[in-house]
Amino acid sequence: MALADVPVPKLQARAEACAERLLQADRVLLASHIDADGLTSAAVASTALERAGLPFETVFEKQLDADSIAGIAERDYDTVLFTDFGSGQLDIIADHEQAGDFIPVIADHHQPADAETEFHLNPLLEGIDGASEMSGAGAAYVLARALAANSGQDERLDNRDLAALAVVGAVGDMQASDGELHGANEDIVADGVEAGVLEETKDLAVYGKQTRPLPKLLEFASDVRIPGITNDERGAVSFLDDLDVECRADGAWKRWVDLTDDERQTVASALVQHAVSRGVPAFKIDRLVGTTYVLREEEVGTELRDASEFSTLLNATARYERADVGLAVCLGDRGSAYDRAKELLRNHRRNLSEGIEWVEEHGVTTEDHLQWFDSGEEIRETIVGIIAGMSMGADGVSRDMPIVAFARKNDEETKVSGRGTGPLVSQGLDLSVVMREASQAVGGDGGGHDVAAGATIPAGEEEAFIDHADRIVGEQL
Ligand code: C5P
Ligand code: C5P
Ligand code: ZN
């Protein structure tokens, strides 16, 4: 084996073992998760397999459980590569491995279940935080680098270009939610910068810098609420009109990317001053500036140019049963798949804003240690977690307790999503444990990360689940 200079040395041995195993396979079944991180994981892994000359097929699963793993086992593949899931279901996967159904190779960042397997690349096994320092796409990227080094492929194709997709996955998993990426994620960013596919800049930390007209950019930037601008269209317009910056071109509003560096500086400073004058506290004002990850090879002014906008575009496909569309975009389709993705994005945006409105209108129920809501059939189960996370800090929803959300899956099953915050995790919150133990206590199953986790439970067990979850959170905090 050649020595792969993988970007995260602690994972080198695991990456090489996984790569070596894959290179022995006749063909590989690649299974991945249906969200932005799962799609980018699949895109990174499938590109790496292709470049290494390995035949493969890709499948997506909403959730990996006994049934979906049994379905995978029935396919006639000797090697199955799981990306962005697999660790949490290691017990079930290991049973299939022992039965000789397939050899698993796992590149994941979820909390592993209690079982062992040989080809397992997961940051948590080497003391790297899987919720904040490396995503599924990051794990797939480390594997891709090892594959490039060991496959005998043209060494100019060292797979560093795939770092851009890995960063989209990390940002999509909210790993930059405090303003920038950390730890192993930074090493991946450095690879992408060196390869010329990524650029990191300190910039205004609001969503939509590539695509939104300026007033909308400011009006909808709700992370830091600025009175007179946030959710205030007229306020945002008059704020922009009062500046000594030409914010329109040919009568239409410019976007952030259309401004010069000086103009951006002027708008950003004025925004900070405005926030100070309206009494926004200093720690929140700090959050107005953050690191932006730009995909240099994508066209300026498109969703694809900005890691955060790109990841939302991907969620808009995969969480609506169109993972094929998102994957095609990741793999370079800028024609019909990209057009379809943009349509799906409009639909996704509408669903998110309606979902948050629904939560604000119906409110949450507060227990001793957590708050929860049951959206029944009103919110799609594949996006209820995103909405739960976004609703924290909205009207009537606290950021001082974790939030649990229910959505109807079908007549028999209810989907549960849990979301916390960085400060709650520092105080001991681990939602992966809460979701796993509370769901198992009522006949379901779940897992995930400390700050964000999910479960499926039998319909009708919601209240019993809340009792267990409330008690476990109480013990943790
Ligand atoms: O399955 P996967 O790991 O890809 O999903 C992670 C989920 O956790 C994403 O939906 C992401 O939005 C959420 N998350 C969060 N806050 C964080 C970290 C992750 O809401 N700080
Ligand atoms: O579905 P949701 O966005 O709430 O998922 C949050 C996190 O919990 C994701 O990382 C997801 O993979 C994980 N999860 C899990 N088992 C489930 C449901 C979600 O590990 N049954
Ligand atoms: Zn992930």
Side-chain angles (χ1 to χ4, degrees):
M1 296 292 281
L3 257 198
D5 54 338
V6 304
V8 185
K10 279 185 186 168
L11 293 174
Q12 172 119 7
R14 290 181 183 276
E16 298 221 357
C18 290
E20 195 170 3
R21 170 59 227 173
L22 289 170
L23 290 167
Q24 285 164 18
D26 294 330
R27 52 194 200 120
V28 176
L29 183 62
L30 167 59
S32 196
H33 192 209
I34 56 132
D35 66 4
D37 189 29
L39 276 183
T40 47
S41 300
V44 167
S46 60
T47 305
L49 291 173
E50 186 158 325
R51 287 179 182 173
L54 285 163
F56 66 94
E57 191 186 340
T58 309
V59 292
F60 288 94
E61 300 287 347
K62 195 186 280 185
Q63 200 184 301
L64 204 58
D65 54 21
D67 287 346
S68 52
I69 297 169
I72 286 170
E74 277 169 25
R75 311 281 300 263
D76 196 20
Y77 283 87
D78 62 343
T79 305
V80 181
L81 171 58
F82 295 92
T83 58
D84 194 36
F85 57 24
S87 299
Q89 300 74 24
L90 197 53
D91 42 354
I92 308 171
I93 291 173
D95 287 347
H96 283 280
E97 182 178 12
Q98 265 144 34
D101 295 343
F102 56 78
I103 295 185
V105 178
I106 301 175
D108 188 13
H109 67 136
H110 289 93
Q111 208 48 255
D114 195 14
E116 295 290 326
T117 195
E118 194 177 349
F119 310 110
H120 191 189
L121 174 57
N122 183 321
L124 290 158
L125 299 171
E126 301 297 341
I128 298 168
D129 188 347
S132 65
E133 293 181 323
M134 186 180 279
S135 67
Y141 175 72
V142 172
L143 174 61
R145 298 274 286 121
L147 268 172
N150 291 297
S151 67
Q153 74 191 42
D154 185 338
E155 66 182 34
R156 284 167 302 179
L157 271 181
D158 59 6
N159 287 343
R160 273 179 209 247
D161 55 328
L162 302 177
L165 285 171
V167 165
V168 172
V171 169
D173 259 13
M174 307 281 291
Q175 300 199 343
S177 56
D178 70 349
E180 61 191 2
L181 292 171
H182 304 279
N185 276 326
E186 283 181 287
D187 300 333
I188 297 174
V189 171
D191 257 15
V193 170
E194 236 179 87
V197 293
L198 275 175
E199 190 177 296
E200 44 176 347
T201 55
K202 280 271 172 243
D203 205 341
L204 197 63
V206 299
Y207 179 86
K209 291 194 286 289
Q210 293 291 329
T211 59
R212 282 188 169 160
L214 285 168
K216 295 260 176 279
L217 180 78
L218 300 182
E219 179 191 343
F220 293 141
S222 54
D223 273 4
V224 178
R225 293 186 171 223
I226 305 176
I229 291 183
T230 308
N231 295 329
D232 183 344
E233 189 183 348
R234 282 169 58 188
V237 167
S238 81
F239 166 79
L240 289 165
D241 280 338
D242 288 347
L243 298 177
D244 190 19
V245 171
E246 195 43 75
C247 291
R248 291 184 176 89
D250 301 327
W253 287 103
K254 291 182 184 171
R255 301 159 301 184
W256 188 255
V257 287
D258 301 320
L259 300 178
T260 64
D261 286 347
D262 282 350
E263 288 172 335
R264 285 182 210 168
Q265 192 58 51
T266 306
V267 179
S269 309
L271 194 66
V272 168
Q273 272 172 23
H274 179 97
V276 172
S277 75
R278 297 301 182 99
V280 177
F283 79 93
K284 286 198 175 169
I285 287 177
D286 286 348
R287 298 216 314 254
L288 280 170
V289 175
T291 302
T292 299
Y293 300 94
V294 171
L295 280 75
R296 291 187 54 191
E297 296 188 322
E298 302 296 343
E299 199 181 314
V300 175
T302 65
E303 300 80 6
L304 309 173
R305 180 92 177 170
D306 176 278
S308 172
E309 292 195 60
F310 196 157
S311 73
T312 305
L313 183 79
L314 295 179
N315 275 323
T317 66
R319 292 184 186 257
Y320 298 81
E321 277 137 36
R322 291 311 306 269
D324 57 320
V325 172
L327 180 62
V329 172
C330 288
L331 296 178
D333 185 309
R334 298 294 175 265
S336 58
Y338 181 40
D339 289 340
R340 184 79 185 100
K342 286 190 284 191
E343 260 172 57
L344 288 162
L345 178 60
R346 282 190 286 277
N347 171 59
H348 179 50
R349 286 233 180 88
R350 190 168 52 240
N351 287 343
L352 291 183
S353 69
E354 285 175 7
I356 291 161
E357 266 170 38
W358 188 93
V359 177
E360 286 183 333
E361 203 171 296
H362 291 78
V364 295
T365 306
T366 303
E367 306 291 339
D368 291 339
H369 309 289
L370 59 77
Q371 53 191 336
W372 61 277
F373 66 85
D374 185 347
S375 66
E377 288 176 2
E378 296 296 320
I379 299 178
R380 212 183 150 87
E381 52 122 342
T382 52
I383 61 168
V384 72
I386 300 180
I387 289 169
M390 290 175 82
S391 73
M392 288 183 96
D395 279 347
V397 188
S398 166
R399 285 188 68 78
D400 299 332
M401 310 181 130
I403 187 163
V404 171
F406 297 110
R408 177 67 42 85
K409 259 178 110 114
N410 51 47
D411 286 348
E412 282 94 49
E413 290 173 321
T414 295
K415 166 72 195 293
V416 195
S417 280
R419 293 292 187 271
T421 63
L424 286 168
V425 169
S426 325
Q427 291 163 41
L429 179 72
D430 185 347
L431 287 171
S432 73
V433 172
V434 175
M435 287 290 147
R436 176 168 297 143
E437 291 184 357
S439 65
Q440 287 178 352
V442 301
D445 203 5
H449 309 290
D450 47 17
V451 72
T456 298
I457 58 171
E461 295 293 337
E462 294 81 4
E463 274 181 42
F465 177 91
I466 288 294
D467 287 345
H468 288 289
D470 192 43
R471 175 182 44 79
I472 302 168
V473 174
E475 287 161 12
Q476 289 179 349
L477 294 177

